[in-house]
Amino acid sequence: ATTEIYTLSLHDALPISVTSSQTAEKDGEIGGALLGALLRENTITDVVVENIRPLPALEELNVPSSVDELIKAIDSLACCKAPGNDCITPEVIKAGKKTALLHHLHELLLQCWNEGTVSQDMRDSIIITLYKNKGEHSDCHNNREISLLSITGKVFARVVLHRLQLHAERVYPEALCGFRAGRSTIDMIA
């Protein structure tokens, strides 16, 4: 049996005939023709680039963050999580939003925003391994790694993430539903 597979390209879709012997086998191998289609280099012509409609700039992305955005990011933190290298737990940050700590965190966020950089301490993580409770401890496959991130860095990352998600809503096609708030890939099936 012959199946036609269309490759994604910016200027056209080219069918590639693939026989059933070339398609992916049960053990996970990918047929030569299919792999070639996936690895084929696509060229973008000047005509395509000229026809791309630019979106107007979102000035909201450049506005310094507000205290309300910071509070929303703090509220979204999960409790009972291990702290990062700063040894600050989410509970401390959440309790601090009713004190002067919120004002200091906001000032730090604004400083990072204006400078366009985040302190290395807020970006560093501690990587530890956890035993999966199966097999021998010495076997690496029986352990998994987790990264303990700075809670302060997580709060700042959430503020930026929220702004980028607002921008992404303008860019994503209507058919893209996965990983979007209030949408599911199941909605596209119905």
Side-chain angles (χ1 to χ4, degrees), residues 77-159:
L77 289 174
C79 291
C80 302
K81 296 293 183 181
N85 56 355
D86 58 3
C87 298
I88 299 173
T89 63
E91 291 81 10
V92 171
I93 299 287
K94 285 187 172 204
K97 75 178 186 180
K98 298 175 184 160
T99 66
L101 179 62
L102 180 65
H103 176 69
H104 292 294
L105 278 175
H106 187 249
E107 284 182 3
L108 182 59
L109 175 59
L110 291 178
Q111 179 183 350
C112 293
W113 198 272
N114 292 330
E115 292 176 2
T117 184
V118 178
S119 163
Q120 187 66 43
D121 291 338
M122 288 191 262
R123 291 183 281 154
D124 286 345
S125 67
I126 301 170
I127 300 173
I128 62 168
T129 58
L130 297 175
Y131 178 59
K132 293 181 182 178
N133 292 326
K134 66 176 188 176
E136 294 185 31
H137 285 278
S138 60
D139 186 3
C140 294
H141 298 299
N142 297 330
N143 295 289
R144 64 183 182 95
E145 295 79 25
I146 63 168
S147 295
L148 302 179
L149 302 169
S150 162
I151 301 299
T152 310
K154 282 184 182 182
V155 170
F156 294 164
R158 298 241 173 142
V159 170

Side-chain angles (χ1 to χ4, degrees), residues 31-105:
L34 182 58
L35 182 61
L38 293 173
L39 297 177
R40 185 179 72 209
E41 183 178 330
N42 290 321
T43 57
I44 300 174
T45 63
D46 291 336
V47 175
V48 172
V49 173
E50 290 170 5
N51 289 326
I52 294 175
R53 184 177 45 96
L55 292 172
L58 275 179
E59 293 303 321
E60 307 92 68
L61 293 176
N62 292 329
V63 175
S65 70
S66 67
V67 174
D68 290 335
E69 284 180 293
L70 185 60
I71 290 173
K72 189 175 183 180
I74 290 171
D75 288 339
S76 70
L77 289 174
C79 291
C80 302
K81 296 293 183 181
N85 56 355
D86 58 3
C87 298
I88 299 173
T89 63
E91 291 81 10
V92 171
I93 299 287
K94 285 187 172 204
K97 75 178 186 180
K98 298 175 184 160
T99 66
L101 179 62
L102 180 65
H103 176 69
H104 292 294
L105 278 175

Side-chain angles (χ1 to χ4, degrees), residues 143-190:
N143 295 289
R144 64 183 182 95
E145 295 79 25
I146 63 168
S147 295
L148 302 179
L149 302 169
S150 162
I151 301 299
T152 310
K154 282 184 182 182
V155 170
F156 294 164
R158 298 241 173 142
V159 170
V160 174
L161 175 64
H162 178 70
R163 289 205 178 184
L164 290 176
Q165 285 172 333
L166 293 176
H167 178 66
E169 285 296 322
R170 294 178 51 209
V171 179
Y172 289 152
E174 191 62 33
L176 182 64
C177 289
F179 304 104
R180 290 173 78 179
R183 295 177 180 230
S184 171
T185 53
I186 295 173
D187 296 335
M188 296 305 292
I189 296 172

